Amino acid sequence: MPTPNSRSLLALMRSRRSIRRYSGGPIPQASLKCLTDAAALAPTSRDRKPCAFHCITDRAQLEQLARAKAAGAAFTANAAAAIVVSADSTISDTWIEDSSIALTYMMLEAEALGLGCCWVQMHLRFDADGTSAEENVRRILDLPEQHRIVGFLALGQPEENVSGGQL
Ligand SMILES: Cc1cc2nc3c(=O)[nH]c(=O)nc-3n(C[C@H](O)[C@H](O)[C@H](O)COP(=O)(O)O)c2cc1C
């Protein structure tokens, strides 16, 4: 099992940065499990738990995710993994909030595990042809229409001394 370090939550929050460049090393399955466990622990409105967490490590699918919107996702092609958060909007009308909290929990767990990650927004974003990024992700993952996609985390072993830029 990966051992989270003993930094306080505030220290993790201070040190966390969006990381978009990865060394190429894989992420252990146990670490991916910690990340989805963290996401599943996130609170949801009325405890409805509308979210599902999809771990993507297949290179072809990562490349498809990188093209799901016109800008701001390309680095996903070089990520070791992506965890897509989908939420069934027929289960809860707070799918945006619930998904966002889950993504945030995973970002902090990634920091605790020493992994680099970056939130990649899909909701309200479009590809170069004007197709909804959410629709593209649903097609990649074969998800039904009512499954809404706020975004996903791109993940990898961080390339040293790289910190995030502004988008
Ligand atoms: C709601 C949200 C959407 C974001 N979408 C993207 C994105 O699509 N692509 C990207 O490269 N970064 C994205 N980011 C990362 C932000 O650009 C980043 O968090 C911000 O610039 C602050 O940098 P920091 O995370 O290193 O503190 C997003 C962050 C949030 C919270």
Side-chain angles (χ1 to χ4, degrees), residues 83-86 99 103 119-123 149-153:
I83 300 180
V84 179
V85 178
S86 68
S99 300
L103 283 160
W119 179 316
V120 184
Q121 180 77 13
M122 293 287 111
H123 179 50
I149 322 283
V150 167
F152 60 82
L153 277 199

Side-chain angles (χ1 to χ4, degrees), residues 16-18 20 69 72 75 118-121 164-167:
R16 186 211 58 79
R17 285 293 173 275
S18 293
R20 302 176 179 85
K69 67 173 178 174
F75 56 89
C118 186
W119 179 316
V120 184
Q121 180 77 13
Q166 303 289 310
L167 277 184

Side-chain angles (χ1 to χ4, degrees), residues 2 12 14 41 54 59 64 77 100 115 117 122 143 156:
L12 287 174
R14 281 206 176 101
L41 287 167
H54 312 266
R59 183 61 43 202
Q64 287 178 303
S100 299
L115 298 171
C117 75
M122 293 287 111
L143 294 172

